[in-house]
């Protein structure tokens, strides 16, 4: 139980006090009414004695009474009605509420910290009022009057006669059979005569004389002169006199019968009943509250139509109304503090001189009667020990006892005399004697089976035992339990049972027996009284929480039960308080259904009490938790919530929009898109893919776009990226960098994608959904700012907003809404949140089983008319900072500014369309498409560039592009190339042309990835469009290729915020295999050249058709082979076939060409075309040359990266490396081969001709080159070595192969030689040895003719011969010089001889012995000697 203001002893003593009746004359009542008080009310605050009182017991022992209180009441001649008592108790409880700012107890139990009200004043008020309003009963005397005050005014003509009349009236009331109420303790009631004198108006002498007469007539002990009204009401109004009556008069009592005039007057006339009180109180059960307690308290199926469906008997007038007359006027207005003291003195005199001597005398008389009747020799008190020290008689079980309702004791029965004596002793705190008497009476009653009497004796015996000083015996709780059971089950008297429970629970609580107290309280909860059940359940809950080990869940459960019963009793505030206290336990513990029930009830009760904010909060909790309720229940919750919210908003229609709990918004998933939506493709026109909200975010792709933009900005700014450079971000999301304010352009929409989630199992219908924003106009070119426009959802002149009329979110669905804003001014925009009407769909539950797609037709839903307008804020937490030490050790978050765009001034807007853009190509295939550039803004754009990681994929044509026809229909087979019809005589012979790499954007020092778009006049005006040809070449590797284009452009005007704009396009090309080309170059043995130079080479080209038949390619034709080089050119085809080279699937062709050195040209490349058909493709023009130069630059880039890695080693020995470089140059060749082909494709029974080109870069003599890089095999796994190798640079030595290419040798001799050995035995043959210096330096050459073949195979095959003349020659050859040396070979007989025996040594002229090695001919020089 909760804490009480009084101790348990004080509570019990004040519950049972001597009752004194007051009978006043009309004049006396008039005197007291001057103070707005009756006589009984006048003396009430002074009825507690301030000093100890002494009296003697029957054994003449002195007995001390402490803190005695008496009760003075007006005589009421009929018992109170049950309905009146119920109303009174209901009012007492409803008036008593927790004080504002009351400090609650904080109880910590396990994981719980509970704020619980320490006291329950409403329960104490109820208890006090209940005990005071109990009607008197014949089976006990505690509520019977002991004395009667007769009050007469001194101003009456004949006061003594008036006293006589009052005395006779009291006698008639007590002894006449006409009056059965009130009850009197003994027939000879003490009469105390009080003369009331009004000091302000009466004559004091007359009052004194009357009082003297009274003393002579009634004795000094039996009368009193009480002087009051000393104060004149019209003077001293500023003097403040305390008002001790207010606290008593606020507690209404049953004696104030004025409030209950409608109650019928009932005379108890049934003489045969066992308990006379039953007729008065049983009707409480019969015609009491209509308790329709058909559902469990935790069942949630409340009717949802009404928010106040509790049935209870409503009080017709509240307590305040009933006491309005008393509360409105001050009490004791005519009384001074002296008068207060006089009244206090009067009560003391009455008690000391009248009441207590009378009680003492009565106890003695009763004691003597009992002794004489029982025939005992000693007084009852002295014999107590003898009676009860012997063996105890075993008490019968209550179930064995019969209900003898017919038994009724006469008033003079000795059993009742014992009870009467016990009650008197109890009232004057003589608990030991009282206990003895109760115990005796209990035995007698049980023997007679008078159960009502026995229960009363048991009850008071238990209380007396508890109150005995020094506690000689333990509290007999079983007495109380028997009494309660008897009252409740046998006597059917719940009022007396309730009194027992209230007393016993308080006693058990004082002994810390909380568990027993709780069980007792719970046992008395029943259906007959909701208010009693509620209060007892609440006290039981307090017992559970006050235990040594608090039982928190039991506390909460019983609080819920108490709240439910309070609600049924109409005590809404108390019901709400109970539910709120229980909520502390259930909240956040996973008891979702219980939590829902509590929140639902709190919401309803709060709404009934017009605590609308609390109601909204409670219903909000039901909806935002992950509800486990069925759909129908969730729908009911939602409707209740909307109904409550509507009431709240109606109270303050102009207030700020409320925050709505549904649907959930995933703020971090909010995406912001700047710009117009992408246009769909129109026929052959395909719009640039750009960026849209439908695309998934890809961090890798995003990084690529950023690098491309940095690349082009770097080129524009001459290699430097500006410090204020901000990569363009069209779509901001949780993964993008949102640390800076994004830039949006005026008149271009800002689209915000908001992710809604419906957690409920019923659909939600949002209507009129739009964004909430704040805008601060700013002119970025001006110096001053304009005022901020707050929440301007209606200012369409600044920001236009697009609203979604209807937006349905099905049950448990996540759905995104795209909301647009159209900025019409420059400035700073802040998007704050979303505003919408939240409603439900009619028949929402039936939609749960239907396919959600049905719900997407706009305008098809019928709202049930219940919707509320509210908002939800978009609050996005930025990324956690983790850079500095401080940030790492604390939790700090950076800003996320995706919802705070800066609206900049007007910028151009480019749209790009691709016409006839292919999706599939063969590797190396050339296709011509068109690109259309459209400026859809109101300002011109310039500096249009495109940047891509794959510049070799496309070209707009070089400076020679103007020579190509605009539409590719002028030449045969609609070729994308520039072609010329060739002369048949020139087939397989080189046709020469030249071109500069500068014309094609290569070698300018810029980045080849950044390509300038050749706009006419370099400007695109507003609304203008231009179409440009674009040649595409299929990538060399098969597969699917994603090729990113970034179009960069600027405004003609320079802007402070936005310098440029970009447009993205991703082309997806699927390439299939076509040709695979391998080529090698080797030196030709022939040294005579057309130009007199002996430097020529053979080029072998191996072409294989690796195409698979799935692509429909029938065959490939090699139509032309071209070379491009600054130093070499193809001269002619060595193979002398006239027809085209055709390759079917998996076929291979070998081609051989002669290449010669061309005139040295550092700037221009020489293009040589060898045509196999009748049409020459001009390889030095677009697009052939474009793709060649792009492949050249990408090849150069690849080799440059590799060589750059070794740059540090190359810087070691400068002079040494130069020597090596000269030798290496001899074996290097800079020749590029372009193979042009046509492919014949059958598609849909039509034959198409595709064309393309492959590039092979030949760098080294004898080394094979391929049309696309071969895949490198991964090196085998090796063990890790954990040591540092010695870093000693090894000098780079040229390989023997490189050294052998320093000098090229060639022997000129007749293939066969005829000689007549008969005539001359020695045959001399002239042989010319040609020496060619292949390097750019002066070379010293030494020729040694003494070399002999040592291998046995050579000896067997070839005979030996001898060189005649000088055996060793030393020569010096200048750069590129060819030297002819005449030798003679001598043969002695016929045969086949190898003339390749001379050893040639070479070294650079400025070196001593380094690199000297033999220059061997790879092929044998065979000569046949014939004899004639």
């Amino acid at each position: 139980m909760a804490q009480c203001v009084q101790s348990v002893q004080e509570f019990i003593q004040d519950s049972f006090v001597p009752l004194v009746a007051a009978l006043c004359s009309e004049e006396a009542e008039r005197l007291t009414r001057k103070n707005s008080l009756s006589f009984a009310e006048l003396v009430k605050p002074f009825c507690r004695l301030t000093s100890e009182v002494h009296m003697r017991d029957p054994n003449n022992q002195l007995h001390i009474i402490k803190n005695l209180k008496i009760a003075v009441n007006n005589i009421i001649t009929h018992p109170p009605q049950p309905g009146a008592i119920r109303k009174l108790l209901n009012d007492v409880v409803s008036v008593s509420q927790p004080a504002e700012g009351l400090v609650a107890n904080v109880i910590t139990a396990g994981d719980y910290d509970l704020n619980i009200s320490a006291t329950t004043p409403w329960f104490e008020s109820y208890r006090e009022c209940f005990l005071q309003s109990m009607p008197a009963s014949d089976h006990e005397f505690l509520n019977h009057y002991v004395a009667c005050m007769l009050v007469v005014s001194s101003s009456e003509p004949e006061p003594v006669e008036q006293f006589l009349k009052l005395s006779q009236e009291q006698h008639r009331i007590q002894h006449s059979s006409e009056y059965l109420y009130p009850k009197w303790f003994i027939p000879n009631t003490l009469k105390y005569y009080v003369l009331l004198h009004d000091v302000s108006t009466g004559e004091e002498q007359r009052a004194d004389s009357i009082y003297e007469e009274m003393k002579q007539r009634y004795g000094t002990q039996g009368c009193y002169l009480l002087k009051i009204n000393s104060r004149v009401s019209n003077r001293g109004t500023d003097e403040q006199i305390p008002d001790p009556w207010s606290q008593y008069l606020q507690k209404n009592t049953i004696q104030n019968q004025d409030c209950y005039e409608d109650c019928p007057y009932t005379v108890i006339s049934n003489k045969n009943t066992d308990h006379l009180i039953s007729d008065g109180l049983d009707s409480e059960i019969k015609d009491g509250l209509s308790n329709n307690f058909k559902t469990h308290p935790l069942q949630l199926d409340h009717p949802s139509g009404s928010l106040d469906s509790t049935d209870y008997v409503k009080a017709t007038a509240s307590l305040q109304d009933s006491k309005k007359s008393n509360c409105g006027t001050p009490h004791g207005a005519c009384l001074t503090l002296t008068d207060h003291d006089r009244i206090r003195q009067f009560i003391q005199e009455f008690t000391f001189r009248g009441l207590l001597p009378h009680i003492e005398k009565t106890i003695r008389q009763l004691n003597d009667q009992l002794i004489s009747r029982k025939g005992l020799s000693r007084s009852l008190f002295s014999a107590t020990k003898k009676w009860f020290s012997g063996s105890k008689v075993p008490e019968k079980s209550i179930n064995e006892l019969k209900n003898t309702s017919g038994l009724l004791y006469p008033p003079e029965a000795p059993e009742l005399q014992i009870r009467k004596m016990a009650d008197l002793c109890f009232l004057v705190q003589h608990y030991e004697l009282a206990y003895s008497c109760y115990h005796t009476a209990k035995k007698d009653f049980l023997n007679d089976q008078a159960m009502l009497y026995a229960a009363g004796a048991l009850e008071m015996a238990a209380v007396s035992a508890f109150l005995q000083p020094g506690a000689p015996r333990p509290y007999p709780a079983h007495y109380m339990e028997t009494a309660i059971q008897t009252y409740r089950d046998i006597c059917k008297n719940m009022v007396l049972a309730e009194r027992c429970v209230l007393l016993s629970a308080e006693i058990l609580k004082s002994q810390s027996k909380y568990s027993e107290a709780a069980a007792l309280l719970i046992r008395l909860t029943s259906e007959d009284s909701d208010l009693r059940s509620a209060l007892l359940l609440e006290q039981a809950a307090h017992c559970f929480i006050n235990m040594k080990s608090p039982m928190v869940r039991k506390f909460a459960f019983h609080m819920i039960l108490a709240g439910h019963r309070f609600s049924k009793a109409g005590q809404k505030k108390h019901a709400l308080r109970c539910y709120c206290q229980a909520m502390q336990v259930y909240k956040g513990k996973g008891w979702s259904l219980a939590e829902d029930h509590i929140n639902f009830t709190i919401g309803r009760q709060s709404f009934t009490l017009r605590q609308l904010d609390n109601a909204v909060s409670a219903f909000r909790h039901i909806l935002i938790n992950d509800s486990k309720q069925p759909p129908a229940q969730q729908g009911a919750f939602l409707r209740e919530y909307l109904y409550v919210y509507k009431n709240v908003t109606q109270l303050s229609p102009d207030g700020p929009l409320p925050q709505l709990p549904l649907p959930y918004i995933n703020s971090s998933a909010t995406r912001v898109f700047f710009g117009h939506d992408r246009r769909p493709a129109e026929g052959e026109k395909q719009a640039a893919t750009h960026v849209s909200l439908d695309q998934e975010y890809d961090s890798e792709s995003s990084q690529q776009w950023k690098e491309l933009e940095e690349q082009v900005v770097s080129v524009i700014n001459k290699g430097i990226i500006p410090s204020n450079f901000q990569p363009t971000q069209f779509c901001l999301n949780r993964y993008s960098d949102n640390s800076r304010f994004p830039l949006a352009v005026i008149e271009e929409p800002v689209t915000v994608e908001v992710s809604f989630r419906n957690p409920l199992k019923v659909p939600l219908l949002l209507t009129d959904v739009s964004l909430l924003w704040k805008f601060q106009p700013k002119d970025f070119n001006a110096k001053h700012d304009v005022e901020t426009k707050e929440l301007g959802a209606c200012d369409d002149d600044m920001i236009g907003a697009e609203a979604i009329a209807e937006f349905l979110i099905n049950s448990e669905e996540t759905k995104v809404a795209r909301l647009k804003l159209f900025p019409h001014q420059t400035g700073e925009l802040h998007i704050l949140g979303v505003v919408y009407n939240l409603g439900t769909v009619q028949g929402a539950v039936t939609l749960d089983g239907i396919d959600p797609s049905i719900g997407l037709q706009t305008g098809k839903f019928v709202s049930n008319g219940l919707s509320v307008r509210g908002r939800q804020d978009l609050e996005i937490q930025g990324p956690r900072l983790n850079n500095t030490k401080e940030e790492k050790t604390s939790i700090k978050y950076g800003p996320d500014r995706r919802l705070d765009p800066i609206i900049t001034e007007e910028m151009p807007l480019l749209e790009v369309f691709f016409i006839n853009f292919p999706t599939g190509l063969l590797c190396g295939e050339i296709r011509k498409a068109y690109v259309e550039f459209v400026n859809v803004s109101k300002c011109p754009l310039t500096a249009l560039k495109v940047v891509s990681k794959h510049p070799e994929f496309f070209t707009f044509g070089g400076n020679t592009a103007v020579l190509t026809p605009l539409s590719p229909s002028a030449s045969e087979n609609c070729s994308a190339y520039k072609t010329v019809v060739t002369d048949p005589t020139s087939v397989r012979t080189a046709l020469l042309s030249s071109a500069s790499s500068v014309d094609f954007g290569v070698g300018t020092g810029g980045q080849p990835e950044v390509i300038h778009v050749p706009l006419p006049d370099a400007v695109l005006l507003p609304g203008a469009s231009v179409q440009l040809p674009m040649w595409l070449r299929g990538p060399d590797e098969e597969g699917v290729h994603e090729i990113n284009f970034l179009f960069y452009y600027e405004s003609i005007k320079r802007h402070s915020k936005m310098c440029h704009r970009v447009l993205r396009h991703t082309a997806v090309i699927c390439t299939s295999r076509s040709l695979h080309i391998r080529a090698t170059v080797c030196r030709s043995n022939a040294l005579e050249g057309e130009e007199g130079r002996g430097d020529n080479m053979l080029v072998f080209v191996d072409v294989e058709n690796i195409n698979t038949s799935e692509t429909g390619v029938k065959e490939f034709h090699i139509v032309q082979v071209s070379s491009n080089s600054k130093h070499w050119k193809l001269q002619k085809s060595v193979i002398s076939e006239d027809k085209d080279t055709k390759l079917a699937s998996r076929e291979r062709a070998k081609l051989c060409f002669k290449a010669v050195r061309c005139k040295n040209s550092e700037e221009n490349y020489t293009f040589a075309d060898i045509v196999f058909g009748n049409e020459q493709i001009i390889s030095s023009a677009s697009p052939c040359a474009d793709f060649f130069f792009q492949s050249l630059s990408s090849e150069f880039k690849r080799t440059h990266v590799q060589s750059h890695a070794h740059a540090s080693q190359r810087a070691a020995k400068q002079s040494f490396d130069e020597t090596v470089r000269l030798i290496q140059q001899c074996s290097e060749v800079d020749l590029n081969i372009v193979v042009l082909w046509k492919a014949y494709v059958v598609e849909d029974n039509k034959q198409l001709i595709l064309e393309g080109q492959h590039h092979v870069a030949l760098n080294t003599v004898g080394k094979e080159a391929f049309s696309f890089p071969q895949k490198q095999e991964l090196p085998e796994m090796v063990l890790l070595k954990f040591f540092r190798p010695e870093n000693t640079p090894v000098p780079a030595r040229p390989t023997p192969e490189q050294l052998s290419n320093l000098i090229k040798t060639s022997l000129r001799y007749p293939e066969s030689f005829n000689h007549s050995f008969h005539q001359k035995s020695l045959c001399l043959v002239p042989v010319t040895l040609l020496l060619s210096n292949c390097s750019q330096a002066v070379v010293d050459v030494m020729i040694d003719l003494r070399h002999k073949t040592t291998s046995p195979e050579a000896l067997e095959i070839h005979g030996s011969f001898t060189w005649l003349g000088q055996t060793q020659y030393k020569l010096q050859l200048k750069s590129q010089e060819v030297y002819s040396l005449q030798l003679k070979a001598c043969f002695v007989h016929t045969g086949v001889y190898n003339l390749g025996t001379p050893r040639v040594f070479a070294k650079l002229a400025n070196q001593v012995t380094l690199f000297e090695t033999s220059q061997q001919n790879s092929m044998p020089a065979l000569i046949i000697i014939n004899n004639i």
Side-chain angles (χ1 to χ4, degrees), residues 1307 1325-1329 1345 1363 1366 1369 1381-1385 1398:
L1307 288 169
V1325 179
V1327 177
T1328 305
L1329 176 62
L1345 301 178
W1363 294 102
Q1366 202 173 330
Y1369 297 89
L1381 184 64
Q1382 302 298 326
L1383 302 174
K1384 282 185 180 177

Side-chain angles (χ1 to χ4, degrees), residues 1223 1293-1303 1402 1411-1415:
I1223 295 172
R1293 294 182 67 86
T1295 61
E1297 188 182 355
Q1298 289 172 335
L1299 292 169
S1300 68
N1301 288 328
L1302 197 59
I1303 295 293
F1411 310 136
E1412 187 168 32
T1413 183
S1414 172
Q1415 303 288 326

Side-chain angles (χ1 to χ4, degrees), residues 921-925 1035-1039 1041 1070-1076 1104-1113 1116 1145-1146 1237 1239 1241 1250 1254 1268 1271:
L921 291 172
L922 294 172
C923 292
E925 180 187 346
D1036 285 321
E1037 289 188 55
E1038 68 166 332
H1041 301 268
C1070 181
T1071 55
S1072 48
R1073 293 193 288 184
S1074 56
L1075 299 178
H1076 179 235
E1104 183 184 359
N1105 176 1
I1106 56 171
N1107 180 262
T1108 51
S1109 55
E1110 298 142 18
T1111 50
V1113 179
F1116 285 90
S1145 180
R1146 311 307 297 185
W1237 48 263
V1241 180
L1250 309 178
H1254 279 78
F1268 64 88
K1271 286 183 181 173

